[in-house]
DNA sequence: TTTGTTGCAAAACGTTTGCAGCCTC
DNA sequence: GAGGCTGCAAACGTTTTGCAACAAA
């Protein structure tokens, strides 16, 4: 049985997240390896955006896995929607957990590249309730480009 | 003088687009090379998403430029907001002209990867008029993930 | 026992960079 | 004429792949 993901960060227990992952692995006839759960655990403890390399380096401390396995597991977690993938800069993909967190609105400074998240219930509802004739949406990402306070001030003097 | 970009595709003349680019090049003390204008011209004639490689290949037919110059020029066009950059799949960046077109809402099928654009005036206004305390937004991209009709039907039988 | 998964290293891929020659300004 | 820009090819950094060993089912 799928557990409904809640708005508040505290409301999603790691047990229910693991359960979702397990159900997905079984359904897809994938194996329940300790590496996969160790990676999920590390992601659970992490707040904000991370990339494969960062996650790989963090993993060295508790449960050592290869970079290839990190990529493999991120793909699985993406498929069962436990994480979301962002490609904000051209260099590398960034990931973020989807559980206990549904603010996927980003402010991106086109000058310094800084990324800040914000939540807006009204906006979220407008986007999530939009219906389409031939498309069934499950989640979304919104990226707003512009200038942060600091860069706006800097550019004014040029 | 900057020309206001309109909603309808037909309303933006290529002359005014070139003018915006020229103003930008002068202001930034960059050179007005024939390669740069040839690339802008090719983009103007193209509808939908394209990547650097596709643009490079198209260029071979009329005005031959190197891939490095294509990347260089895309960067400039990005800076003066004549084009927008999308990084939907992990492989390569996709670009799209911003002039004569302001639907940057995308429906992305998480199964087959197909991307479809849609416009929604109400949604656009909600997003564009959102004010922030320390951020000055200029444009946005919205990505809605889900299943297209075809993939939804396919997955029902598994 | 079967076969999906792992770690490792090499390969692949889009993008960036260094450099000599060219062409705006 | 000075120096930004070009084309070319090599380099870069992230992600993917091939393969032998391993372990979940």
């Amino acid at each position: 049985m799928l557990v409904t993901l809640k708005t508040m960060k505290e409301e999603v227990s790691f047990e229910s997240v693991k359960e979702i992952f397990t159900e997905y692995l079984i359904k897809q006839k994938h194996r329940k390896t300790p590496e996969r759960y160790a990676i999920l655990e590390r992601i659970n403890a992490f707040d904000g955006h991370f990339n494969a390399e960062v996650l790989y380096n963090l993993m060295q401390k508790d449960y050592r896995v290869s970079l290839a396995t990190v990529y493999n597991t991120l793909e699985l977690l993406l498929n069962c929607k436990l994480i979301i993938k962002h490609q904000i800069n051209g260099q590398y993909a960034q990931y973020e957990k989807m559980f206990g967190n549904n603010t996927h609105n980003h402010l991106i400074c086109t000058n310094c590249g800084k990324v800040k998240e914000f939540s807006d219930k009204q906006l979220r509802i407008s986007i999530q309730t939009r219906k389409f004739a031939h498309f069934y949406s499950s989640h979304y990402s919104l990226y707003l480009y512009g200038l942060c306070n600091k860069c706006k001030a800097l550019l004014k003097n040029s």
Side-chain angles (χ1 to χ4, degrees), chain A:
Chain A
M1 177 214 36
L2 280 183
V3 176
T4 308
L5 297 180
K6 298 286 174 53
T7 308
M8 299 297 289
K9 297 206 176 197
E10 287 67 40
E11 287 187 52
V12 181
S13 75
F14 184 54
E15 284 310 310
S16 66
V17 170
K18 272 206 293 200
E19 196 182 316
I20 294 170
F21 192 35
T22 302
E23 283 174 24
Y24 170 79
L25 292 175
I26 292 172
K27 193 176 175 192
Q28 301 292 315
K29 297 196 187 354
H30 287 141
R31 289 186 180 167
K32 304 194 283 288
T33 69
E35 287 84 359
R36 289 174 177 169
Y37 285 99
I39 291 169
L40 180 58
E41 209 149 337
R42 204 75 207 64
I43 291 172
N44 178 63
F46 195 92
D47 280 315
H49 289 194
F50 58 88
N51 62 42
E53 185 93 29
V54 162
L55 184 57
Y56 169 74
N57 288 331
L58 284 173
M59 292 302 294
Q60 306 313 304
K61 293 171 189 168
D62 25 36
Y63 194 108
R64 214 198 153 280
V65 294
S66 70
L67 191 53
T69 300
V70 168
Y71 276 106
N72 165 17
T73 305
L74 286 173
E75 189 62 31
L76 296 175
L77 292 170
L78 221 41
N79 286 339
C80 60
K81 297 189 178 43
L82 284 172
I83 61 173
I84 188 173
K85 186 180 186 176
H86 299 292
Q87 320 218 108
I88 294 172
N89 63 34
Q91 314 309 301
Y92 47 80
Q94 288 173 283
Y95 302 83
E96 185 182 13
K97 58 188 178 195
M98 283 264 262
F99 46 94
N101 157 30
N102 51 17
T103 79
H104 295 109
N105 309 313
H106 302 76
L107 300 175
I108 305 170
C109 178
T110 53
N111 193 244
C112 68
K114 202 177 72 182
V115 178
K116 199 176 165 186
E117 295 196 53
F118 72 96
S119 41
D120 183 326
K121 194 180 173 186
Q122 197 60 47
L123 207 54
R124 197 188 78 224
I125 291 170
S126 311
I127 295 168
Q128 284 180 339
T129 57
R130 175 68 153 86
K131 290 283 172 286
F132 299 92
H134 305 292
F135 191 84
Y136 310 87
S137 71
S138 63
H139 59 287
Y140 76 92
S141 271
L142 174 64
Y143 304 99
L144 274 157
Y145 298 92
L147 291 175
C148 68
N149 233 6
K150 204 178 279 183
C151 287
K152 193 187 166 106
L154 273 172
L155 293 178
K156 198 167 269 177
N157 312 320
S158 67

